[in-house]
Amino acid sequence: MKLYSKGDDYDDMSSQCSCCVLCCGLCFGRNRPEGKVLETVGVFEALKQHGKYETGQLFLHSVFGYRGIVLFPWHARIYDRDVIPPMSDSKPEPPGSHGSKEVKGKTHTYYQVLIDTRDCPHISQRSQTEAVTFLANHDDSRALYAIPGLDYVSHEDILPYNSTEQVPIQHELFERFLMFNPDKAPPFSARDTLKAWQEKNHPWLELSDVHRETTENIRVTVIPFYMGMRDAQNSHVYWWRYCIRLENMGSEVVQLRERHWRIFSLSGTLETVRGRGVVGREPVLSKEQPAFQYSSHVSLQAPSGHMWGTFRIERTDGSHFDVRIPPFSLESNKDDKAPPAGYTF
């Protein structure tokens, strides 16, 4: 099956299977400027039912539709409140766990990936262009810097493809991190700079826990990341980033209207945050565009804490319901080193 981008005429797709046409539509089929056409960029490969995708694997994101390439995998623990463990596996929950359950015997593979910058304008209305953020290494304890076009992608969201291009992904880090190697499959190998960058930034990149919960067909997935500690006004300030994905698993069109957070700190404080939408947006979740993803940040004056809350969702008839945000822990690294001052090679 061929994967298309702008260049060839849509009529050339008529001989392709409906699956291929759908995947292309996710990328470029909507809001296409008048007169633009499609061109072939690659050929789909079989999905991996077992094992993991290797460094250098090209893929199409099955939900957000962008092209990307795998840098390296992460193995995460899944805490899924939709899964009820067998009674024999039930154990008393630790204090402050708020009922989060670990799916026994299962780890899940996620991938650190680069996003093709050409696709960012086409996904901006469905998701922020993902970036990994770090604490800036200077006196301003609130200063952050970001590396745009880096994302974490679940194994089942990968639609693998191959390409004959030696530079099939446009991203400023592509040629710094990867090199073309026609003797292997996929034909891209990690440069030493990628290995060094991964090792140096491992504490701030590591994905270890994923939390999920579904309410009335709206699934919320949360992935927290520890960012490090800074000294501010004779106290320690600990920072985390959290990535949230909302998915409409049903057929009814709904819109996120409000957020309500509860943030508990080990220091004993409990903060309540309410507001309209998320990151200045009130996304609509429909069958055509079922998911929205964003990232935000939180800081505590304690090395650990918990967050939980709800999203207020509105139906097309004006009625509302609350979707639970699965509770998740904010944990600092035991070996707390200074976060990196930037990405260097």
Side-chain angles (χ1 to χ4, degrees), residues 100-234:
S100 190
K101 305 179 183 70
E102 183 174 0
V103 178
K104 298 297 182 181
K106 288 187 178 179
T107 57
H108 196 72
T109 302
Y110 277 72
Y111 300 94
Q112 193 90 63
V113 307
L114 292 181
I115 300 173
D116 194 313
T117 56
R118 294 170 294 184
D119 295 347
C120 292
H122 302 280
I123 61 173
S124 61
Q125 295 305 310
R126 279 170 278 170
S127 166
Q128 294 173 308
T129 299
E130 278 301 313
V132 172
T133 48
F134 298 89
L135 292 179
N137 196 12
H138 52 69
D139 292 338
D140 185 352
S141 64
R142 298 181 59 86
L144 306 173
Y145 73 88
I147 305 176
L150 276 173
D151 201 1
Y152 294 82
V153 179
S154 178
H155 184 88
E156 67 265 19
D157 286 338
I158 297 282
L159 295 176
Y161 75 92
N162 60 61
S163 171
T164 57
E165 297 181 53
Q166 294 191 18
V167 185
I169 299 295
Q170 289 189 13
H171 190 285
E172 62 175 333
L173 297 179
F174 180 87
E175 292 186 272
R176 294 188 180 187
F177 282 169
L178 300 161
M179 69 180 107
F180 183 67
N181 183 353
D183 296 328
K184 68 179 288 289
F188 302 97
S189 299
R191 293 183 184 272
D192 290 340
T193 49
L194 174 58
K195 299 173 184 176
W197 183 80
Q198 179 186 5
E199 181 178 354
K200 174 184 176 182
N201 297 286
H202 184 277
W204 329 111
L205 294 170
E206 182 179 13
L207 182 159
S208 59
D209 295 339
V210 178
H211 304 263
R212 289 177 178 167
E213 183 166 5
T214 304
T215 307
E216 296 195 33
N217 287 324
I218 305 299
R219 183 166 70 181
V220 179
T221 303
V222 184
I223 307 176
F225 301 88
Y226 178 57
M227 297 176 63
M229 181 269 292
R230 283 285 182 267
D231 292 320
Q233 299 178 347
N234 299 320

Side-chain angles (χ1 to χ4, degrees), residues 15-32:
S15 63
Q16 307 301 317
C17 74
S18 59
C19 176
C20 179
V21 174
L22 172 62
C23 293
C24 298
L26 281 171
C27 256
F28 304 109
R30 301 187 184 90
N31 302 320
R32 180 171 59 96

